[in-house]
């Protein structure tokens, strides 16, 4: 067990625990729609997998562990963990320290963290694309071919990663440098067929994959699609460690053409990823994966150079004092701004000004007895530490503290917690009325959201409203009433929630100036004043209601 191996194990642990812990929160509509397809296939009914590799892996987990939120998200979560560890394949090309930094940046990225916990096949496709890229740069064409073939089996989710990884890999290592053989082509085809057909157990998966390519070209933005502006806003406020590091790398490499060419693959990950983000119709946070990977690759070079400079020229005792003082001042400034956002008092902004002046004085004082490099390195290290702490806090808030918050920049729709209440109420009513938890006939309107269908997936009857005779329970949109025989008593539940964030901005005041209260609240706490809830009504037949209440 060397120190490097121990560090890679630590990164694996730090990447795995946040992504695998507490996966049991409610599925959103896009997540539930995908999970219902796997559940349909598992029940022996005909269905089409837009992503055949992800679909049969999820169906396999449903078979082994049962259909639940955890088993539905497990493939995506594990794919996210593997993606964070792939820089280990670039140790020889990037250097051991830089590869570790690269992996750590991916592990703590709130964007990749979010995508790994959002059930879907996109993160699986990006993981395979990054694996093919890393294997190609490591001159392992057989492994690159296997990953590339598996990527083709991800159907609808394969096109954006395919475009990005082909362009980036060609820039990093041209085809004539590796010279793919007939064996490599055979590996691609074999990996594609085995991955798409569930190891030849589901031959229709080949058709599903090709149909998925067509679906991507035909996809149009819907309610679950996120605007480019909202996605880029989330990237800016969630990933300061990565994009600031990439900016410093650009400034450092601007005058070194050889180094700039050596880093060209990461620039292509960013540029091609941005192009795919703009032209894609059905956008989600997964389309930010190439930008995050590319910026993390560049940022790792900047932070590797910073650590190398500190190790070569610095003194840990001397610069450690600067780091400690500057870190405390930065935390003081950030807490002051946070407090300002909570109380809408501009006086708290003075803490940021005071901290900046004290840090400048610290650098000036340090330069009197030593060179400018030492205090500047200390301040830079303190800034990286403070931004890393902020980034980790953003990831915790987005993925664990408030996973149902529709005001998060990457989440347009969120399943409302009333869904859990609805599920429990139906179970309790059934127990009180019949003595069994799942004995009531539950009829659902055809246009029910996928999240609601997923919550009621285990009900004994699951028919369309038009086919209902006199059911025990009917669920309809809030504006409709049951078109069935019998008298019903209704109770409304919020099923999904949306936060368009249109009001999150500064507005002008009649007497001059601007009111930025809503923007400050959103930046600090992700609170939005306007949240739209989708209401559905639980209609209970009157005789069932009397039995459930103890009346006969």
């Amino acid at each position: 067990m060397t120190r490097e191996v121990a560090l890679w194990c630590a990164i694996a642990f730090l990447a795995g625990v946040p992504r695998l812990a507490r996966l049991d929160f409610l599925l959103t509509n896009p997540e539930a729609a995908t999970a219902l397809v796997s559940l349909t296939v598992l029940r022996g009914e005909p269905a089409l997998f837009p992503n055949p590799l992800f679909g049969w892996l999820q169906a396999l987990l449903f078979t082994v562990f049962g259909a639940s939120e955890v088993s539905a998200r497990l493939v995506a979560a594990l794919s996210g963990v593997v993606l964070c560890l792939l820089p280990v394949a670039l140790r020889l090309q990037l250097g051991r320290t830089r590869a570790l930094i690269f992996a750590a940046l991916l592990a703590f990225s709130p964007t990749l963290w979010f995508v790994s916990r959002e059930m879907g096949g996109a993160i699986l496709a990006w993981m395979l694309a990054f694996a093919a890229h890393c294997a190609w740069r490591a001159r392992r064409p057989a492994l690159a071919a296997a990953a590339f073939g598996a990527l083709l089996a991800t159907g609808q989710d394969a096109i954006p990663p395919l475009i990005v990884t082909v362009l980036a890999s060609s820039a990093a290592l041209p085809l004539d440098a590796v010279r793919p053989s007939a064996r490599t082509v055979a590996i691609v085809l074999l990996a594609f067929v085995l991955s798409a057909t569930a190891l030849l157990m589901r031959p229709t998966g080949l058709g599903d994959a090709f149909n998925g390519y067509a679906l991507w070209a035909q996809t149009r933005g819907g309610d679950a699609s996120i605007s480019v502006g909202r996605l880029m806003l989330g990237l800016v406020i969630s990933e300061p460690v990565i994009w600031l590091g990439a900016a410093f790398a650009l400034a450092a490499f601007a005058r070194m053409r050889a180094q700039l060419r050596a880093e060209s693959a990461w620039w292509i990950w960013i540029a091609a990823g941005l192009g795919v983000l703009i032209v894609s119709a059905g956008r989600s946070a997964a389309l930010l994966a190439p930008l995050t990977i590319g910026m993390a690759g560049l940022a790792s070079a900047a932070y590797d150079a910073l650590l190398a400079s500190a190790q070569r020229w610095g003194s840990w005792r001397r610069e450690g004092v600067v780091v400690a003082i500057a870190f405390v001042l930065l935390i003081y400034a950030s807490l002051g701004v946070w407090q300002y956002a909570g109380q809408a008092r501009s006086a708290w902004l003075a803490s940021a000004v005071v901290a900046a002046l004290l840090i400048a004085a610290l650098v000036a004082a340090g330069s009197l007895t030593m060179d400018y490099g030492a205090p500047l390195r200390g301040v830079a290290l303190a800034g990286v530490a403070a931004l890393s702490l902020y980034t980790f806090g953003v990831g915790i808030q987005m993925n664990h503290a408030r996973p149902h918050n529709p005001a998060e920049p990457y989440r347009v729709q969120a399943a409302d917690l009333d869904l859990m209440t609805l599920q429990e109420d139906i179970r309790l009513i059934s127990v009180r009325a019949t003595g069994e938890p799942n004995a009531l006939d539950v009829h659902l309107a055809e246009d029910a959201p996928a999240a609601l269908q997923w919550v009621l997936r285990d009900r004994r009857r699951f028919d369309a409203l038009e086919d209902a005779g006199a059911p025990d329970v009917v669920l309809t949109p809030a504006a409709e009433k049951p078109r069935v025989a019998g008298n019903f008593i209704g109770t409304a539940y919020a099923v999904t929630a949306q936060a368009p964030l249109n009001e999150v901005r500064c507005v002008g005041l009649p007497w001059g100036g601007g009111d930025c209260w809503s923007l400050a609240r959103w930046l600090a706490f992700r609170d939005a004043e306007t949240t739209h809830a989708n209401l559905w009504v639980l209609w209970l037949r009157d005789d069932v209601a009397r039995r459930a209440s103890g009346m006969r």
Side-chain angles (χ1 to χ4, degrees):
M1 175 66 72
T2 64
R3 182 173 61 179
E4 184 184 4
V5 173
L7 289 173
W8 280 109
C9 291
I11 290 176
F13 178 80
L14 294 175
V17 170
R19 286 164 173 77
L20 297 172
R22 298 184 62 186
L23 290 173
D24 56 347
F25 58 98
L26 292 170
L27 299 185
T28 61
N29 277 330
E31 293 177 299
T34 303
L36 287 170
V37 174
S38 298
L39 195 60
T40 300
V41 171
L42 187 61
R43 290 170 175 170
E45 302 173 14
L48 177 69
F49 279 138
N51 183 334
L53 177 58
F54 178 83
W56 72 259
L57 286 175
Q58 188 177 66
L60 177 63
L61 290 176
F62 285 172
T63 303
V64 177
F65 301 110
S68 67
E69 283 77 9
V70 175
S71 57
R73 291 190 169 100
L74 197 54
V75 175
L78 292 174
S79 300
V81 176
V82 174
L83 187 148
C84 296
L85 299 177
L86 287 174
V88 71
L90 302 177
R91 291 170 63 253
L92 298 180
Q93 287 73 30
L94 302 180
R96 293 183 298 177
T97 302
R98 183 179 172 185
L100 283 165
I101 295 173
F102 193 0
L105 291 174
L106 296 179
F108 287 105
S109 165
T111 302
L112 296 180
W113 190 347
F114 176 86
V115 176
S116 300
R117 291 174 59 85
E118 186 181 36
M119 191 276 294
I123 187 63
L124 174 62
W126 285 112
M127 183 273 291
L128 292 170
F130 190 40
H133 175 78
C134 293
W136 183 259
R137 292 189 64 170
R139 296 179 182 271
R140 305 292 297 273
L143 292 178
F148 191 82
L151 172 61
L152 293 175
T154 57
Q156 185 177 3
D157 297 316
I159 304 301
L162 189 67
I163 296 172
V164 175
T165 193
V166 167
L167 294 175
S169 299
S170 300
L173 200 63
L175 288 175
D176 55 2
V178 179
R179 294 183 180 179
S181 61
R183 176 174 172 267
T184 304
V185 176
I187 292 174
V188 171
L189 295 176
L190 181 62
F192 169 59
V193 172
L194 293 179
S195 300
T197 61
L199 304 179
L200 303 180
M201 292 185 294
R202 191 174 183 273
T204 56
L206 289 175
D208 291 351
F210 288 105
N211 186 70
Y213 306 152
L215 285 176
W216 182 84
Q218 298 170 3
T219 299
R220 294 293 179 267
D223 293 338
S225 183
I226 310 178
S227 66
V228 175
R230 184 163 176 169
L231 287 174
M232 295 306 296
L233 175 63
L235 190 68
V236 170
I237 65 175
S238 302
E239 305 284 1
V241 175
I242 290 179
W243 62 259
L244 281 174
F248 280 116
L250 174 61
F253 300 153
R255 297 182 179 180
M256 298 182 290
R257 293 186 178 180
Q259 187 68 30
L260 200 61
R261 285 195 299 270
E263 306 294 334
S264 60
W266 306 123
W267 296 114
I268 292 178
W269 273 90
I270 297 172
L274 185 60
V276 168
L277 175 66
I278 293 173
V279 302
S280 296
R283 301 184 188 94
S284 67
L287 286 176
L288 293 176
L291 281 75
T292 305
I293 293 172
M295 288 191 294
L298 291 174
S300 64
Y303 296 138
D304 183 34
L306 177 62
L307 288 178
S309 175
Q311 290 175 348
R312 183 176 181 182
W313 305 106
S315 167
W316 290 110
R317 177 180 298 179
R318 181 180 58 190
E319 281 153 332
V321 174
V322 178
V323 170
I325 296 175
F327 181 76
V328 171
L329 291 174
L330 290 172
I331 294 299
Y332 162 73
S334 61
L335 290 177
V337 175
W338 191 288
Q339 189 74 7
Y340 156 73
Q343 298 184 3
R345 294 172 55 191
S346 58
W348 286 97
L349 286 176
S351 61
V353 178
V354 172
L357 293 175
L358 290 176
I359 290 175
L362 180 65
V363 173
S367 64
L368 296 177
T369 57
M370 63 189 84
D371 63 323
Y372 280 101
L376 289 177
R377 281 193 300 269
V379 172
L381 290 171
V384 173
L387 288 176
S388 299
L389 183 62
Y390 163 81
T391 300
F392 182 73
V394 169
I396 289 290
Q397 176 175 312
M398 184 187 302
N399 296 287
H400 290 275
R402 303 177 69 183
H404 299 291
N405 180 23
E408 293 292 343
Y410 297 150
R411 194 183 301 279
V412 171
Q413 290 187 1
D416 199 281
L417 293 176
D418 272 8
L419 270 175
M420 299 175 63
T421 305
L422 170 63
Q423 186 181 34
E424 183 63 18
D425 286 351
I426 292 177
R427 191 189 69 83
L428 290 176
I429 291 171
S430 180
V431 169
R432 292 174 179 173
T434 67
E436 298 180 11
N438 296 315
L440 293 179
D441 294 338
V442 179
H443 291 248
L444 199 64
E446 289 182 340
D447 55 348
L452 180 57
Q453 296 183 38
W454 171 260
V455 167
L456 300 178
R457 63 191 178 278
D458 295 328
R459 305 312 305 175
R460 178 174 295 183
R461 293 188 61 184
F462 197 72
D463 300 327
L465 186 61
E466 287 74 9
D467 300 330
D472 300 324
V473 178
V474 179
L475 283 158
T476 66
E480 297 182 10
K481 293 183 178 180
R483 295 190 294 271
V484 293
N487 296 320
F488 290 83
I489 301 172
T491 304
Y493 294 84
V495 176
T496 58
Q498 292 180 323
L501 305 185
N502 294 329
E503 80 287 351
V504 180
R505 63 181 184 274
C506 294
V507 295
L509 297 174
W511 51 86
D515 179 11
C516 298
W517 167 242
S518 61
L519 178 61
R521 290 285 300 178
W522 183 81
L523 288 173
F525 307 112
R526 302 295 185 269
D527 286 342
E529 296 179 0
T530 303
T531 301
H532 305 298
N534 182 7
L535 297 179
W536 276 63
V537 179
L538 170 69
W539 298 95
L540 193 62
R541 205 173 62 214
D542 54 359
D543 60 315
V544 177
R546 286 195 299 271
R547 293 201 306 269
S549 62
M551 300 174 58
R552 300 296 179 186

